Amino acid sequence: MSRKPFIAGNWKMNMTAKTGAELIEKLKPLVKDADCDVALCVPAILIPEMVKAAEGSNIAIGAENVHWAPSGAYTGEISAEMLKEYGVKYVIVGHSERRQYFGETDESVNMRAQAALKAGLTPIICVGEMLEERETGKTNKVLTRQLTVGLGGIDDITKCVIAYEPVWAIGTGKTATDEQAEETIAFIRKKIGELFCPMCAEKVIIQYGGSMNAGNCKGLMAQPNIDGGLIGGASLKTDFATIVNYNK
Ligand code: 13P
């Protein structure tokens, strides 16, 4: 079964309205003939400007987080409806930085993903192990917990994107090898087959994220189970277009 590859950027807490719009202007002609889906997930305050900048192009704009409630007394949070109103298509949930620094749990990740789906947004649900967990052979156990709880109660898993981001590879320049990423993503796909159905597992898009760049994207994208990338640092420059055009 063929899955359409999906390359997304995660700007994290970087860029301004000016530098972001400038980068999108540069990227537009460079990515226009991409064979994959393309998105940039940007800081919430930049969303209106970046949606405007990307208008008429094949670059979709995503958010970096979403709250689970439709509205209410949640100071500082943003609802799925608010994102939707501004033309957002995707939203990252459960990024390891949110889990590490902002106390997010598999349960809250699940609630956020469900809220995104309910509003018609595509959640990019991040999972991944820490270095110590990999070194002590706990990777599959951690992923099983993150997937079982994080995806619990989701009706249609094919409406979600999964991003496998080993925490030790994020922002470290230390990418998982093609084989490590393939083996772990194959495990994730198998687990999704068990939790949902084998047909759904064949359809669901699973990205790799963690120091993916213009140099290593070809090897990673050549792996049968890797359907795309979630790109941090390299999405802040025109290198992002090289990754999007990994097959050219
Ligand atoms: P880097 O590509 O900077 O390692 O970040 C990956 C990431 O966290 C994307 O969500």
Side-chain angles (χ1 to χ4, degrees):
M1 184 174 305
S2 72
R3 296 179 293 268
K4 188 169 186 195
F6 175 35
I7 305 284
N10 173 9
W11 281 0
K12 308 190 179 184
M13 199 173 73
N14 293 294
M15 307 301 259
T16 63
K18 185 168 180 290
T19 59
E22 281 168 4
L23 178 59
I24 289 179
E25 279 314 317
K26 281 190 207 154
L27 288 172
K28 281 202 278 196
L30 301 175
V31 304
K32 72 176 179 12
D33 297 319
D35 298 318
C36 57
D37 287 327
V38 182
L40 286 170
C41 300
V42 307
I45 196 167
L46 301 186
I47 287 170
E49 292 281 352
M50 297 311 111
V51 167
K52 220 182 290 165
E55 211 167 24
S57 78
N58 58 335
I59 305 174
I61 298 299
E64 298 179 10
N65 201 9
V66 64
H67 195 261
W68 53 80
S71 63
Y74 299 102
T75 303
E77 293 286 326
I78 294 174
S79 77
E81 280 303 328
M82 293 170 187
L83 296 176
K84 183 93 177 159
E85 188 181 15
Y86 278 91
V88 164
K89 299 273 188 284
Y90 299 94
V91 59
I92 297 172
V93 295
H95 192 280
S96 65
E97 288 148 17
R98 301 285 328 165
R99 294 176 189 255
Q100 269 184 289
Y101 309 135
F102 302 98
E104 293 197 17
T105 62
D106 295 323
E107 287 79 8
S108 67
V109 169
N110 178 251
M111 286 159 73
R112 291 175 199 270
Q114 300 232 38
L117 286 166
K118 201 164 168 203
L121 300 174
T122 301
I124 303 176
I125 304 168
C126 302
V127 295
E129 80 286 1
M130 319 261 273
L131 182 60
E132 189 245 325
E133 292 164 339
R134 175 156 287 263
E135 285 177 347
T136 52
K138 296 201 190 95
T139 299
N140 290 356
K141 189 167 167 242
V142 168
L143 291 171
T144 299
R145 191 204 70 227
Q146 291 176 337
L147 294 167
T148 308
V149 181
L151 306 181
I154 286 177
D155 283 336
D156 186 355
I157 189 63
T158 66
K159 291 204 164 79
C160 302
V161 170
I162 309 295
Y164 168 56
E165 299 206 307
V167 180
W168 47 271
I170 296 177
T172 57
K174 195 177 167 207
T175 325
T177 64
D178 297 347
E179 294 73 26
Q180 274 174 328
E182 168 60 18
E183 187 191 11
T184 314
I185 290 180
F187 173 80
I188 292 171
R189 197 177 297 288
K190 184 170 137 271
K191 206 27 79 186
I192 289 174
E194 288 164 22
L195 293 169
F196 295 89
C197 72
M199 274 286 281
C200 318
E202 279 306 307
K203 278 194 201 159
V204 74
I205 299 291
I206 310 182
Q207 300 174 318
Y208 167 79
S211 299
M212 190 160 163
N213 58 39
N216 59 29
C217 60
K218 259 193 171 51
L220 287 160
M221 291 301 292
Q223 304 305 313
N225 276 290
I226 303 182
D227 305 322
L230 187 54
I231 320 298
S235 74
L236 303 174
K237 30 191 190 171
T238 50
D239 283 37
F240 183 66
T242 312
I243 304 175
V244 165
N245 294 314
Y246 68 92
N247 62 339
K248 312 254 183 218

